[in-house]
Amino acid sequence: MTIEIPGNRIVIASHNAGKVREIRELLDPLGLSVVSAGELGLEEPEETGETFAANAELKGRFVAEGSGLPALSDDSGLAVVALDGAPGIHSARWAGPERDFGMAMEKLERALAGKSDRSAYFICVLCLAFPGGGADVFEGRIDGDLVWPPRGNNGFGYDPMFRPEGSEITFGEMTPQEKHAVNHRARAFAKFLAHLKG
Ligand code: IMP
């Protein structure tokens, strides 16, 4: 596959190990040299945006400027319909400074008490940013519902609670390949690839 990334090097603008792993796997077939922001010793910028796209762009631009390389960032989260889209852009913050997603899922389950609508969706916005240059964003979404108790130890974050539409098993029970076949990040990534090829 031929794509247009100057210098054939790209930085993954994330410090989330689960996301870095998934993005690395998605980038793998492209033959690029891939490094993460953490490996370059770059800090994480504060996420002050009010939308996934604003935060993705902020992270992408920050890392592109800091590294002097094209950067691919990800801002993503879980939106629960009965909670008016919460936790949404605050998905990571619900897990507290310890990033305790067992606790975040319990908090979510408590917030859903008495509600019959358990539908939810994951959103991922990827941003490709160039040093001193432009930034393009690509959005992917996957709909599903929330199960309780959480099931499976694969993936990260809210995966054990999320069952995508048409599936009997949760993201936490899926292999990485099964999750990549349908998830929000892979869907955003497909748009990113179409853009590069176009
Ligand atoms: P941020 O984009 O770094 O603000 O963090 C997004 C948060 O959303 C992550 O820390 C996870 O809690 C959650 N999240 C995003 N994508 C996924 C996913 O694929 N599976 C499970 N949780 C996710």
PDB file of all heavy atoms in Angstrom, residues 1-4 30 192-198:
ATOM      1  N   MET A   1       0.851  -1.190   0.000  1.00  0.00           N
ATOM      2  CA  MET A   1       0.000   0.000   0.000  1.00  0.00           C
ATOM      3  C   MET A   1       0.893   1.249   0.000  1.00  0.00           C
ATOM      4  O   MET A   1       1.838   1.335   0.751  1.00  0.00           O
ATOM      5  CB  MET A   1      -0.836  -0.025   1.278  1.00  0.00           C
ATOM      6  CG  MET A   1      -2.029   0.863   1.213  1.00  0.00           C
ATOM      7  SD  MET A   1      -3.047   0.780   2.710  1.00  0.00           S
ATOM      8  CE  MET A   1      -3.174  -0.963   3.051  1.00  0.00           C
ATOM      9  N   THR A   2       0.630   2.220  -0.895  1.00  0.00           N
ATOM     10  CA  THR A   2       1.451   3.431  -0.931  1.00  0.00           C
ATOM     11  C   THR A   2       0.685   4.587  -0.313  1.00  0.00           C
ATOM     12  O   THR A   2      -0.459   4.821  -0.652  1.00  0.00           O
ATOM     13  CB  THR A   2       1.742   3.834  -2.393  1.00  0.00           C
ATOM     14  OG1 THR A   2       2.011   2.667  -3.115  1.00  0.00           O
ATOM     15  CG2 THR A   2       2.886   4.800  -2.464  1.00  0.00           C
ATOM     16  N   ILE A   3       1.319   5.267   0.614  1.00  0.00           N
ATOM     17  CA  ILE A   3       0.650   6.430   1.175  1.00  0.00           C
ATOM     18  C   ILE A   3       1.614   7.596   1.261  1.00  0.00           C
ATOM     19  O   ILE A   3       2.819   7.423   1.223  1.00  0.00           O
ATOM     20  CB  ILE A   3       0.055   6.137   2.561  1.00  0.00           C
ATOM     21  CG1 ILE A   3       1.152   5.698   3.515  1.00  0.00           C
ATOM     22  CG2 ILE A   3      -1.034   5.123   2.504  1.00  0.00           C
ATOM     23  CD1 ILE A   3       0.756   5.897   4.920  1.00  0.00           C
ATOM     24  N   GLU A   4       1.044   8.784   1.381  1.00  0.00           N
ATOM     25  CA  GLU A   4       1.837  10.009   1.355  1.00  0.00           C
ATOM     26  C   GLU A   4       2.088  10.534   2.760  1.00  0.00           C
ATOM     27  O   GLU A   4       1.331  11.344   3.264  1.00  0.00           O
ATOM     28  CB  GLU A   4       1.067  11.076   0.552  1.00  0.00           C
ATOM     29  CG  GLU A   4       0.951  10.767  -0.928  1.00  0.00           C
ATOM     30  CD  GLU A   4       2.302  10.717  -1.619  1.00  0.00           C
ATOM     31  OE1 GLU A   4       3.154  11.580  -1.305  1.00  0.00           O
ATOM     32  OE2 GLU A   4       2.508   9.830  -2.442  1.00  0.00           O
ATOM     33  N   LEU A  30       1.126  -0.446   6.807  1.00  0.00           N
ATOM     34  CA  LEU A  30       1.485   0.684   5.945  1.00  0.00           C
ATOM     35  C   LEU A  30       2.980   0.848   5.738  1.00  0.00           C
ATOM     36  O   LEU A  30       3.422   1.692   4.961  1.00  0.00           O
ATOM     37  CB  LEU A  30       0.911   1.989   6.507  1.00  0.00           C
ATOM     38  CG  LEU A  30      -0.598   2.001   6.752  1.00  0.00           C
ATOM     39  CD1 LEU A  30      -1.047   3.388   7.173  1.00  0.00           C
ATOM     40  CD2 LEU A  30      -1.351   1.572   5.512  1.00  0.00           C
ATOM     41  N   PHE A 192      -9.323   7.725   7.316  1.00  0.00           N
ATOM     42  CA  PHE A 192      -7.962   8.275   7.265  1.00  0.00           C
ATOM     43  C   PHE A 192      -7.204   7.678   6.067  1.00  0.00           C
ATOM     44  O   PHE A 192      -6.577   8.388   5.283  1.00  0.00           O
ATOM     45  CB  PHE A 192      -7.283   7.964   8.605  1.00  0.00           C
ATOM     46  CG  PHE A 192      -5.780   8.005   8.635  1.00  0.00           C
ATOM     47  CD1 PHE A 192      -5.102   9.209   8.617  1.00  0.00           C
ATOM     48  CD2 PHE A 192      -5.035   6.830   8.723  1.00  0.00           C
ATOM     49  CE1 PHE A 192      -3.707   9.243   8.677  1.00  0.00           C
ATOM     50  CE2 PHE A 192      -3.657   6.851   8.786  1.00  0.00           C
ATOM     51  CZ  PHE A 192      -2.990   8.064   8.743  1.00  0.00           C
ATOM     52  N   LEU A 193      -7.318   6.371   5.893  1.00  0.00           N
ATOM     53  CA  LEU A 193      -6.627   5.704   4.766  1.00  0.00           C
ATOM     54  C   LEU A 193      -7.169   6.180   3.427  1.00  0.00           C
ATOM     55  O   LEU A 193      -6.397   6.427   2.496  1.00  0.00           O
ATOM     56  CB  LEU A 193      -6.829   4.193   4.846  1.00  0.00           C
ATOM     57  CG  LEU A 193      -5.952   3.413   5.810  1.00  0.00           C
ATOM     58  CD1 LEU A 193      -6.165   1.931   5.600  1.00  0.00           C
ATOM     59  CD2 LEU A 193      -4.482   3.775   5.639  1.00  0.00           C
ATOM     60  N   ALA A 194      -8.489   6.312   3.339  1.00  0.00           N
ATOM     61  CA  ALA A 194      -9.096   6.765   2.079  1.00  0.00           C
ATOM     62  C   ALA A 194      -8.575   8.161   1.749  1.00  0.00           C
ATOM     63  O   ALA A 194      -8.284   8.478   0.584  1.00  0.00           O
ATOM     64  CB  ALA A 194     -10.616   6.768   2.203  1.00  0.00           C
ATOM     65  N   HIS A 195      -8.414   8.993   2.772  1.00  0.00           N
ATOM     66  CA  HIS A 195      -7.901  10.355   2.575  1.00  0.00           C
ATOM     67  C   HIS A 195      -6.457  10.313   2.054  1.00  0.00           C
ATOM     68  O   HIS A 195      -6.097  11.018   1.113  1.00  0.00           O
ATOM     69  CB  HIS A 195      -7.963  11.098   3.916  1.00  0.00           C
ATOM     70  CG  HIS A 195      -7.225  12.391   3.955  1.00  0.00           C
ATOM     71  ND1 HIS A 195      -7.756  13.567   3.479  1.00  0.00           N
ATOM     72  CD2 HIS A 195      -5.980  12.694   4.412  1.00  0.00           C
ATOM     73  CE1 HIS A 195      -6.866  14.540   3.657  1.00  0.00           C
ATOM     74  NE2 HIS A 195      -5.788  14.048   4.214  1.00  0.00           N
ATOM     75  N   LEU A 196      -5.631   9.437   2.671  1.00  0.00           N
ATOM     76  CA  LEU A 196      -4.225   9.349   2.257  1.00  0.00           C
ATOM     77  C   LEU A 196      -4.118   8.866   0.814  1.00  0.00           C
ATOM     78  O   LEU A 196      -3.317   9.368   0.031  1.00  0.00           O
ATOM     79  CB  LEU A 196      -3.458   8.386   3.156  1.00  0.00           C
ATOM     80  CG  LEU A 196      -3.206   8.826   4.591  1.00  0.00           C
ATOM     81  CD1 LEU A 196      -2.471   7.735   5.334  1.00  0.00           C
ATOM     82  CD2 LEU A 196      -2.405  10.123   4.629  1.00  0.00           C
ATOM     83  N   LYS A 197      -4.974   7.885   0.483  1.00  0.00           N
ATOM     84  CA  LYS A 197      -4.900   7.346  -0.875  1.00  0.00           C
ATOM     85  C   LYS A 197      -5.445   8.327  -1.886  1.00  0.00           C
ATOM     86  O   LYS A 197      -5.010   8.364  -3.030  1.00  0.00           O
ATOM     87  CB  LYS A 197      -5.680   6.034  -0.943  1.00  0.00           C
ATOM     88  CG  LYS A 197      -4.986   4.908  -0.220  1.00  0.00           C
ATOM     89  CD  LYS A 197      -5.753   3.623  -0.492  1.00  0.00           C
ATOM     90  CE  LYS A 197      -5.489   2.567   0.528  1.00  0.00           C
ATOM     91  NZ  LYS A 197      -6.554   1.579   0.591  1.00  0.00           N
ATOM     92  N   GLY A 198      -6.455   9.113  -1.450  1.00  0.00           N
ATOM     93  CA  GLY A 198      -7.096  10.064  -2.363  1.00  0.00           C
ATOM     94  C   GLY A 198      -6.168  11.209  -2.690  1.00  0.00           C
ATOM     95  O   GLY A 198      -6.341  11.897  -3.663  1.00  0.00           O
TER      96      GLY A 198
END
